[in-house]
Amino acid sequence: MKFKSIAISNSSAQSTFRIRQLAALSLTAMLLISGCGNNTATKAASTSSPAASPSAAAEASSLPAGDKLNIKVSFYPMYEFTKSITGDLANVEVLVPPGVEPHDWEPTAKDMADISDADVLVYNGAGMEGWAQQIVDGAAGSDLITIEASKGLQIIEGTEHEYEHEHEHSHEEEAAAEAGHDHDHDHQHDESATEGSGHDHSHNDTAVSEADHDHGGLDPHVWLDPVMAIREVKTIEAALSAAFPGNAAAFHANSDAYIAKLEKLDQDFRAGLQNTKRKDFITQHAAFGYLAQQYGLTQVPIAGLSPEQEPSAAQMAKIVEFAKANKVTTIFFETLVSSSVADTIAQEIGAKTAVLNPIEGLTEEDAAHNLDYLSLMRQNLEALIQALNE
């Protein structure tokens, strides 16, 4: 069974596209003007490579005494990854304001000006920031260095529901057995390549919904898998070290220290989720595909890749049916968006709700308690362990 998609009107999509076009033209003009200025970086780096361009690396050096890099990052995980690498050598600022859901955020004219004045822009990529590519294109020939953290990672399609595929494959296998035919599923999982790219769960029958077009049908939530987060940190560090070789030793040392924390996080996830009583969990939107694949779980999302997508009555009914059939006791919701849908399903089946945080931004409460990516991921681990052992 497959869930129906919710379409976005053409007029809305065209309006968003026009806004992005105007924003890109605006930034291009700003970058042409600022290209003659005094940015610390000496040359733009293309996103065709995760690191800065060779010519830029050759010309760049360490920062003058007392100077700091001016780095803009798209949203919170990019901030923590980048700041953990640069330490006191950079001022790192997040473009998406605290408490704002980043999927549909668009840069203002002031944001565009801030980006044009920056030395470096770090963004996740994989369709997470719908505005980023036009900024990257507009930055060509300027002093702005752009770093796509997910460059080189294996990005999965995120519009299918994993449990539906399992059910479909089970039915196919039963039919094949009855007919006496071999049914070969080409779903190989190369465990040795896990660190490099995660598991390949692409499906031939993927139907991309209009609601997922901002991501191009791809799942950008790679930072929620600690192994993939390590790869993103390495990509950012390599690009910064190539662009500013005089500071490469400091960047590398800081990166190693932070990666050690991520490796411990991965070990704890692996140990905590290895022997749980159940392996499937229902969550508000399809943000946890990489995490599920990495640790042998099955994500059952209520909505698609966008947390603002409202499920239809038919989708709600199918989720309720699945939850009852599998005796699900916890429905996960998330911060930054309304929990009303999760609450409705939980009430229908007599389950409780709990937070599973996609860490797309910090709430005021998170900031007040000095929470960060690592601590929020550990909260996610605790929530999953509890829900999957009930």
Side-chain angles (χ1 to χ4, degrees):
M1 68 179 74
K2 293 186 177 64
F3 289 177
K4 296 180 180 178
S5 304
I6 298 174
I8 295 176
S9 67
N10 289 334
S11 61
S12 174
Q14 291 170 354
S15 174
T16 300
F17 179 72
R18 285 196 295 270
I19 290 171
R20 289 178 178 171
Q21 278 188 315
L22 291 173
L25 290 171
S26 227
L27 178 65
T28 302
M30 291 176 187
L31 290 169
L32 289 173
I33 294 171
S34 65
C36 300
N38 296 317
N39 280 6
T40 305
T42 60
K43 199 164 186 177
S46 168
T47 54
S48 62
S49 169
S53 64
S55 57
E59 295 171 16
S61 61
S62 60
L63 298 172
D67 280 1
K68 291 186 177 184
L69 283 172
N70 176 12
I71 301 179
K72 302 298 180 186
V73 299
S74 55
F75 65 111
Y76 179 73
M78 299 302 102
Y79 169 83
E80 181 161 332
F81 297 170
T82 303
K83 188 63 177 175
S84 296
I85 295 166
T86 63
D88 293 334
L89 293 174
N91 291 319
V92 183
E93 296 183 354
V94 184
L95 290 168
V96 178
V100 174
E101 217 295 320
H103 283 79
D104 300 320
W105 180 85
E106 293 286 344
T108 64
K110 181 183 182 302
D111 295 322
M112 304 297 272
D114 289 343
I115 293 171
S116 71
D117 289 338
D119 299 311
V120 181
L121 170 66
V122 180
Y123 64 105
N124 182 74
M128 180 65 187
E129 305 92 341
W131 45 269
Q133 189 56 52
Q134 294 184 56
I135 288 179
V136 171
D137 293 342
S142 78
D143 288 341
L144 179 65
I145 293 174
T146 59
I147 303 173
E148 182 181 8
S150 66
K151 189 71 176 181
L153 297 183
Q154 186 171 347
I155 305 302
I156 64 174
E157 293 177 338
T159 56
E160 292 289 346
H161 297 263
E162 287 88 343
Y163 81 94
E164 290 176 0
H165 283 290
E166 290 183 357
H167 289 184
E168 288 170 3
H169 295 165
S170 177
H171 293 323
E172 289 170 359
E173 288 167 358
E174 290 173 2
E178 291 173 1
H181 298 298
D182 291 332
H183 192 82
D184 183 18
H185 297 283
D186 187 16
H187 280 215
Q188 298 178 354
H189 301 273
D190 186 358
E191 296 294 341
S192 64
T194 297
E195 180 174 343
S197 60
H199 302 303
D200 182 5
H201 277 216
S202 59
H203 302 287
N204 293 332
D205 59 343
T206 297
V208 179
S209 72
E210 291 293 330
D212 290 331
H213 277 181
D214 280 350
H215 298 309
L218 300 177
D219 185 350
H221 303 88
V222 291
W223 65 90
L224 291 170
D225 172 358
V227 175
M228 298 289 251
I230 290 171
R231 291 293 305 277
E232 290 203 300
V233 170
K234 289 181 177 180
T235 294
I236 297 168
E237 184 271 319
L240 289 173
S241 294
F244 305 97
N247 296 298
F251 292 157
H252 188 67
N254 291 341
S255 174
D256 281 350
Y258 187 67
I259 285 173
K261 297 177 182 179
L262 291 174
E263 289 173 341
K264 180 61 168 63
L265 181 67
D266 169 49
Q267 293 168 6
D268 291 345
F269 262 84
R270 208 167 295 281
L273 299 175
Q274 184 175 9
N275 297 312
T276 55
K277 293 179 181 178
R278 61 183 308 118
K279 296 298 180 181
D280 46 37
F281 62 97
I282 296 178
T283 187
Q284 190 156 334
H285 90 284
F288 298 91
Y290 294 97
L291 184 150
Q293 290 178 16
Q294 188 66 247
Y295 303 111
L297 305 178
T298 299
Q299 172 187 232
V300 183
I302 298 171
L305 292 173
S306 172
E308 300 297 339
Q309 181 183 353
E310 289 289 338
S312 67
Q315 288 174 309
M316 292 277 284
K318 289 173 182 176
I319 289 291
V320 168
E321 178 185 1
F322 175 87
K324 289 180 177 179
N326 291 275
K327 297 181 173 59
V328 174
T329 60
T330 302
I331 306 297
F332 285 113
F333 68 98
E334 62 193 59
T335 57
L336 303 185
V337 295
S338 171
S339 64
S340 60
V341 174
D343 292 337
T344 299
I345 293 176
Q347 291 172 7
E348 175 70 20
I349 66 173
K352 63 182 179 181
T353 59
V355 171
L356 198 61
N357 196 333
I359 318 181
E360 294 171 347
L362 297 182
T363 64
E364 291 183 1
E365 184 178 358
D366 293 337
H369 289 86
N370 295 317
L371 298 181
D372 58 12
Y373 171 85
L374 292 168
S375 55
L376 290 171
M377 283 294 288
R378 291 194 176 280
Q379 287 185 0
N380 283 344
L381 174 57
E382 292 172 6
L384 283 169
I385 290 174
Q386 181 174 348
L388 297 178
N389 282 299
E390 292 178 340

